[in-house]
Amino acid sequence: MKLSKNYSLKTLNSFGVDIKAKIYADVFSVDELKEVMLANELSNLKKLILGGGSNILFVKNFDGIVIKNSIPGIKIISEDDKNMIVESGAGVVWDELVQYCVDRNYGGIENLSLIPGSVGAAPIQNIGAYGQELTNTLFELNGIFIDTGEEKIFNNSECKFSYRSSIFKNEFKNKFIITSVKLKLDKNSQVNLTYDPVKEGVEKRHIKNPTIKDIREIVIDIRKNKLPDPNEIGNAGSFFKNPVITKKKYKVLKKVYSDLNYFPVDRNNVKVSAARLIEICEWKGKRIGNVGTYNKQPLVIVNYGDATGEEIYAMAMKIKDEIKKRFDITLENEVNVL
Ligand SMILES: Cc1cc2nc3c(=O)[nH]c(=O)nc-3n(C[C@H](O)[C@H](O)[C@H](O)COP(=O)(O)OP(=O)(O)OC[C@H]3O[C@@H](n4cnc5c(N)ncnc54)[C@H](O)[C@@H]3O)c2cc1C
């Protein structure tokens, strides 16, 4: 196993922030991972598991070991008349898994096409988009506890999934490494058109009976038009989660901002668009030096050049403060700040 010292992570985080890890290792198997976890000489070091680096903002050098999870492999575990269980190594690129499944007509993750990052990180924040979330298809996942090297399988309910969250973002944050993920996919999947732009995409293309392949193409199209490509402009997707507020508070806001829509949450609460709140505060497309909000989607903070992590974080906090002052709503980070 090769350990690199003082290693630049600039090309390994989608913000393109130029910071260094004290030690860096790229692991390709569970055995290699255990070797790093349990090595005596590394035992006192802080550990960070890195996938595609597309949901992380580094604000300083990482004074510990960064372990890039590159465990490969996609295989079919079992099959019956209705379902397939597909297992993927945590280091597989998420969209390659989606492509693999869509090509074989296994439905359930096609609306999650083109989300950047690795399979192993997908359960961390229960990735979601256009009407699907990982929790809808996750069967179980395998992993290792960082401190003890103990292996454990989590089934879906043990993962405690919720909106952009899971047990791995809370109780087991930085304590558990996901090594593989099993998904239960549908062989006769109904396409998911709950999200308007996807439905409109189907109508625009005059498709009578859309397939999951059509949905994947439409979602890729929407995403390419709406979101910046991290290979061209550094970003980590939505910086904040959409805030959940009471229905009572929503009614008050709606009187002033008639176009503020909501998504139902439960009897008393609704979710509102963080992007719309940011836009109301006139932050859409605003730029300060090398940092800005994306002109087509203000929830995305972008690095126009050589911005530091601190500069990016400072802008995010300015936005957060303004939303708090204007609406008395506290935005929560979706991006992991380190
Ligand atoms: C342009 C763009 C669009 C995006 N759109 C969406 C979207 O529509 N929906 C959505 O949900 N997200 C979206 N994201 C966010 C991001 O793609 C997801 O959060 C993705 O799952 C991150 O994967 P990653 O491998 O890059 O994780 P990383 O950024 O490498 O890691 C994220 C967190 O997970 C931890 N981690 C990573 N791998 C493991 C592992 N194997 N075991 C344990 N912990 C691990 C890390 O330590 C870190 O805390 C978007 C990002 C970008 C840049």
Side-chain angles (χ1 to χ4, degrees):
M1 159 91 38
K2 188 176 169 238
L3 297 176
S4 308
K5 285 188 182 160
N6 210 20
Y7 194 84
S8 171
L9 301 179
K10 187 169 165 59
T11 58
L12 297 172
N13 71 94
S14 62
F15 265 122
V17 168
D18 194 8
I19 58 99
K20 290 195 168 70
K22 188 171 183 174
I23 299 186
Y24 174 82
D26 205 349
V27 301
F28 293 87
S29 68
V30 175
D31 287 343
E32 276 186 5
L33 188 56
K34 280 187 174 170
E35 201 185 307
V36 178
M37 291 291 107
L38 302 173
N40 276 337
E41 68 274 24
L42 304 174
S43 62
N44 290 329
L45 286 180
K46 265 196 312 186
K47 296 179 177 70
L48 173 75
I49 306 303
L50 189 65
S54 55
N55 200 22
I56 287 188
L57 173 63
F58 289 103
V59 291
K60 54 179 188 281
N61 288 336
F62 189 78
D63 187 24
I65 175 161
V66 170
I67 303 160
K68 170 104 164 76
N69 189 328
S70 297
I71 299 172
I74 302 177
K75 60 181 183 227
I76 291 161
I77 298 291
S78 65
E79 169 175 13
D80 62 24
D81 290 353
K82 287 186 182 157
N83 300 109
M84 305 293 303
I85 306 279
V86 176
E87 179 171 25
S88 168
V92 170
V93 171
W94 169 258
D95 196 52
E96 285 176 15
L97 176 61
V98 180
Q99 175 85 64
Y100 174 97
C101 296
V102 169
D103 282 351
R104 288 160 181 77
N105 211 25
Y106 310 153
I109 53 173
E110 56 285 351
N111 295 44
L112 305 179
S113 289
L114 215 62
I115 294 182
S118 60
V119 169
I124 307 291
Q125 71 156 5
N126 179 24
I127 56 167
Y130 306 108
Q132 281 178 348
E133 281 188 324
L134 186 75
T135 182
N136 306 137
T137 46
L138 186 123
F139 180 62
E140 60 184 31
L141 58 81
N142 290 52
I144 301 174
F145 282 100
I146 293 182
D147 285 347
T148 59
E150 180 204 343
E151 292 187 32
K152 179 163 164 61
I153 297 174
F154 283 78
N155 65 28
N156 186 304
S157 69
E158 286 170 322
C159 294
K160 295 192 185 164
F161 288 124
S162 59
Y163 166 59
R164 297 300 166 275
S165 193
S166 72
I167 196 167
F168 311 107
K169 232 184 159 177
N170 295 290
E171 256 167 275
F172 292 145
K173 190 176 166 74
N174 300 329
K175 293 195 173 121
F176 187 76
I177 304 175
I178 295 167
T179 53
S180 71
V181 168
K182 292 191 191 98
L183 302 180
K184 186 173 181 178
L185 300 163
D186 209 325
K187 284 162 100 176
N188 306 299
S189 186
Q190 296 292 313
V191 294
N192 182 327
L193 301 176
T194 49
Y195 193 87
D196 283 347
V198 179
K199 205 164 137 192
E200 284 156 22
V202 170
E203 285 160 8
K204 218 165 77 188
R205 292 168 185 225
H206 308 289
I207 304 171
K208 274 204 180 122
N209 297 306
T211 63
I212 62 171
K213 283 195 181 77
D214 296 322
I215 300 301
R216 175 167 165 80
E217 276 173 25
I218 289 166
V219 168
I220 288 176
D221 227 38
I222 297 170
R223 294 186 74 97
K224 282 191 171 162
N225 279 314
K226 193 176 142 195
L227 293 167
D229 179 351
N231 294 319
E232 286 163 18
I233 311 173
N235 77 92
S238 304
F239 200 93
F240 302 105
K241 294 184 189 182
N242 288 320
V244 174
I245 61 173
T246 61
K247 279 188 180 163
K248 209 167 141 196
K249 188 176 178 75
Y250 173 72
K251 277 184 192 154
V252 175
L253 287 175
K254 178 83 176 167
K255 275 190 192 148
V256 186
Y257 309 104
S258 54
D259 62 345
L260 184 66
N261 293 328
Y262 74 93
F263 315 94
V265 173
D266 56 35
R267 256 182 77 198
N268 301 319
N269 298 294
V270 294
K271 203 159 45 177
V272 292
S273 158
R276 182 66 194 124
L277 298 179
I278 294 169
E279 194 178 6
I280 291 168
C281 292
E282 293 175 11
W283 274 95
K284 190 174 180 179
K286 209 169 185 172
R287 179 170 176 171
I288 303 175
N290 274 326
V291 189
T293 58
Y294 192 54
N295 55 4
K296 292 184 194 163
Q297 169 48 285
L299 194 49
V300 178
I301 298 184
V302 292
N303 176 2
Y304 282 110
D306 292 323
T308 64
E310 281 168 322
E311 284 169 333
I312 295 168
Y313 191 59
M315 177 177 274
M317 290 308 102
K318 271 192 189 143
I319 294 172
K320 189 171 168 168
D321 284 351
E322 203 165 323
I323 300 291
K324 176 73 182 164
K325 269 193 208 130
R326 183 134 174 198
F327 306 108
D328 193 25
I329 291 175
T330 304
L331 291 181
E332 205 184 313
N333 295 347
E334 182 172 316
V335 170
N336 298 278
V337 180
L338 283 163

